[in-house]
Amino acid sequence: MLIQPRIRGFICTTAHPQGCHQAVLQQINYVKQQPAFSGPKNVLVIGASTGYGLASRIATTFGAQAKTIGVFFEKAAEDGRTASPGWYNSAAFENLAHAAGFYAKSINGDAFSQGIKQRTAELIRRDLQQVDLVIYSLASPRRVHPVTGQVFSSVLKPLGQPFKGKTVDAFRGDIKEVSLEPATPDDVNNTIAVMGGEDWEMWIDFLMKENLLAKGATTMAYSYLGPELTHAIYKNGTIGKAKEHLLATSQQLDKKLKALGGQALISVNKALVTQASAAIPVVPLYISLLYKLMKAQGTHEGCIEQAYRLFKEKLYSPQGAVKDSEGLLRLDDLEMQAALQQKIAELWPTLTSANVEELTDLQGYRDDFYRLFGFNMPGVDYSQEVNPDVPLAV
Ligand code: NAI
């Protein structure tokens, strides 16, 4: 079939298998061009098919020769619909990793469920015996609790008072005012249940109980802090509460893992174009402005540059994990540079629909967004028919 992008709001409902393959290949090639590093041997990535999780899988495989098991929740192609991009990415990753001689296996299903934890445990026991790094990189709008069956939906809302701010319709280039009502206590609890640390802790407790964590094992989850202008919607909003819970969980897990000589960490990452971040009001406009300035400075990084730097320089640096005074790994160090943020704060109030294309990298945002779904990739002829059915052993 001919596959073209079909945008609905902030998602694209189609994905291109060859384009996703090219995007994964590009990330792999980036890592292969960097110096190798001494890192983990056996890695479990939960949320491994797109964004930061996929980049983490690629960086540890091709940068440190790690064996990886990836867990994700993606859709195969069916009834004239394409597969989801994470499906195509994972198929491409496995093919390319296997061709290079690396172990890589995947499990597709709901990571929040006990069944998927069980299947993952069996695969680790059979193939790797133990893992020495567990990356928790889930971003999900909902969670079915594995014990109570309760369904939680996460929301992106401010706390305490309504929020009014600027956001952009990235495809039309229109800047609009967005206004959001404050979260209810239930909204906060539901968002914490989905994006907080309970499921991460369940994973680690289970893997520990099953003796599947190697001596000295590390587990790491990802967070975001961002500048003042995103605080109402992010750091001080419902998602920020979930991230606080994730941080508190990392401290609990760190204590538990000390028994194995291991550690639990949070890495605070840069704002990047992913399916998860596209859904957050304000953030796409902020990213567009950030990218314009960081590209001009030569400090811009995408997922793979961030992931490689995370492992090479922050987590597996010769002196061990490089943490800030609060114990966090800071991959947002370049994003949060004071002079850069000062410039963003100055430009932000001046942004209008008339100047947004010039003052921000909205085109770069769109390009990155399309690439998440395998479109706009150099070397792919989108006028050719392709088979959407791509096999993936999961
Ligand atoms: P993403 O949307 O690209 O990836 C989410 C992953 O989770 C995918 O592999 C998806 O298959 C998997 N997933 C979702 N629900 C699942 C389920 N029920 N079972 C199994 N797998 C499931 O998201 P992104 O942006 O890479 O986010 C990952 C983490 O990084 C999140 O914790 C996010 O808050 C954090 N982060 C993201 C930043 C950004 O700007 N994108 C910045 C800083 C942190």
Side-chain angles (χ1 to χ4, degrees):
M1 72 195 256
L2 273 181
I3 305 177
Q4 297 293 340
R6 212 180 298 148
I7 307 283
R8 296 272 179 278
F10 50 78
I11 60 156
C12 177
T13 59
T14 50
H16 199 283
Q18 289 172 3
C20 289
H21 180 96
Q22 280 304 110
V24 169
L25 182 62
Q26 249 184 20
Q27 294 198 40
I28 291 175
N29 285 341
Y30 171 80
V31 175
K32 282 164 71 177
Q33 282 154 15
Q34 311 304 313
F37 57 93
S38 168
K41 303 266 175 294
N42 296 326
V43 182
L44 170 63
V45 184
I46 303 161
S49 53
T50 55
Y52 272 112
L54 173 65
S56 302
R57 193 175 192 192
I58 292 172
T60 50
T61 302
F62 288 88
Q65 283 75 51
K67 298 177 180 177
T68 62
I69 292 176
V71 178
F72 45 76
F73 207 6
E74 300 294 346
K75 285 200 187 81
E78 60 169 2
D79 300 335
R81 292 173 66 99
T82 71
S84 55
W87 179 277
Y88 292 139
N89 289 341
S90 302
F93 172 78
E94 284 205 2
N95 286 336
L96 293 161
H98 295 164
F102 295 115
Y103 173 97
K105 288 209 171 138
S106 302
I107 291 184
N108 188 37
D110 182 5
F112 296 130
S113 70
Q114 187 53 31
I116 288 296
K117 292 182 178 71
Q118 195 77 45
R119 266 181 61 195
T120 308
E122 281 156 19
L123 186 60
I124 295 173
R125 188 175 293 108
R126 192 191 75 193
D127 289 0
L128 306 177
Q129 288 75 55
Q130 290 186 318
V131 289
D132 55 351
L133 176 63
V134 179
I135 294 164
Y136 189 81
S137 186
L138 285 191
S140 173
R142 70 195 276 282
R143 171 174 174 226
V144 181
H145 197 279
V147 179
T148 64
Q150 197 177 339
V151 180
F152 300 102
S153 293
S154 68
V155 295
L156 293 157
K157 289 190 183 173
L159 296 185
Q161 48 197 354
F163 167 77
K164 263 196 190 350
K166 262 183 192 173
T167 197
V168 71
D169 177 329
F171 298 97
R172 302 159 73 101
D174 293 340
I175 294 201
K176 298 184 292 199
E177 276 275 305
V178 59
S179 56
L180 296 165
E181 286 305 304
T184 63
D186 271 356
D187 286 335
V188 176
N189 292 336
N190 290 347
T191 307
I192 291 174
V194 181
M195 290 298 286
E198 187 189 22
D199 181 62
W200 184 22
E201 187 159 20
M202 285 178 164
W203 269 99
I204 297 303
D205 284 350
F206 183 62
L207 295 172
M208 269 184 101
K209 183 168 103 0
E210 298 288 312
N211 192 26
L212 296 171
L213 295 183
K215 209 163 164 282
T218 293
T219 188
M220 178 170 59
Y222 298 141
S223 190
Y224 182 67
L225 290 173
E228 187 75 37
L229 69 92
T230 63
H231 280 180
I233 192 67
Y234 202 101
K235 181 169 172 282
N236 299 335
T238 46
I239 181 72
K241 285 286 156 204
K243 292 298 185 188
E244 276 173 23
H245 187 267
L246 195 72
L247 175 61
T249 305
S250 77
Q251 290 154 357
Q252 290 301 324
L253 291 178
D254 196 59
K255 286 186 197 138
K256 291 184 187 177
L257 285 169
K258 284 280 179 291
L260 291 173
Q263 60 184 340
L265 296 162
I266 295 282
S267 173
V268 182
N269 297 353
K270 180 189 179 192
L272 286 181
V273 185
T274 66
Q275 292 180 71
S277 69
I280 309 176
V282 183
V283 167
L285 183 59
Y286 166 69
I287 289 180
S288 303
L289 183 52
L290 178 74
Y291 279 25
K292 175 86 171 184
L293 301 176
M294 291 188 88
K295 283 180 183 175
Q297 276 185 346
T299 54
H300 174 67
E301 295 170 307
C303 274
I304 195 62
E305 291 85 357
Q306 281 261 297
Y308 174 79
R309 189 159 70 89
L310 168 60
F311 295 108
K312 167 101 179 355
E313 290 175 20
K314 303 277 180 188
L315 184 53
Y316 296 104
S317 90
Q319 62 273 31
V322 181
K323 301 180 206 168
D324 72 1
S325 56
E326 288 167 45
L328 303 166
L329 306 187
R330 298 302 296 261
L331 265 186
D332 65 341
D333 44 2
L334 302 176
E335 170 182 353
M336 296 308 289
Q337 276 175 356
L340 175 68
Q341 286 300 334
Q342 175 68 35
K343 185 90 190 140
I344 289 175
E346 281 165 25
L347 286 172
W348 186 259
T350 71
L351 296 180
T352 63
S353 301
N355 64 21
V356 66
E357 300 284 353
E358 180 202 342
L359 292 184
T360 79
D361 187 26
L362 194 55
Q363 190 52 45
Y365 180 91
R366 285 186 203 110
D367 287 345
D368 279 5
F369 182 85
Y370 279 115
R371 287 188 190 133
L372 297 177
F373 301 88
F375 298 107
N376 253 359
M377 288 303 300
V380 178
D381 182 353
Y382 293 96
S383 67
Q384 295 295 311
E385 302 256 346
V386 277
N387 182 358
D389 254 320
V390 172
L392 173 62
V394 283

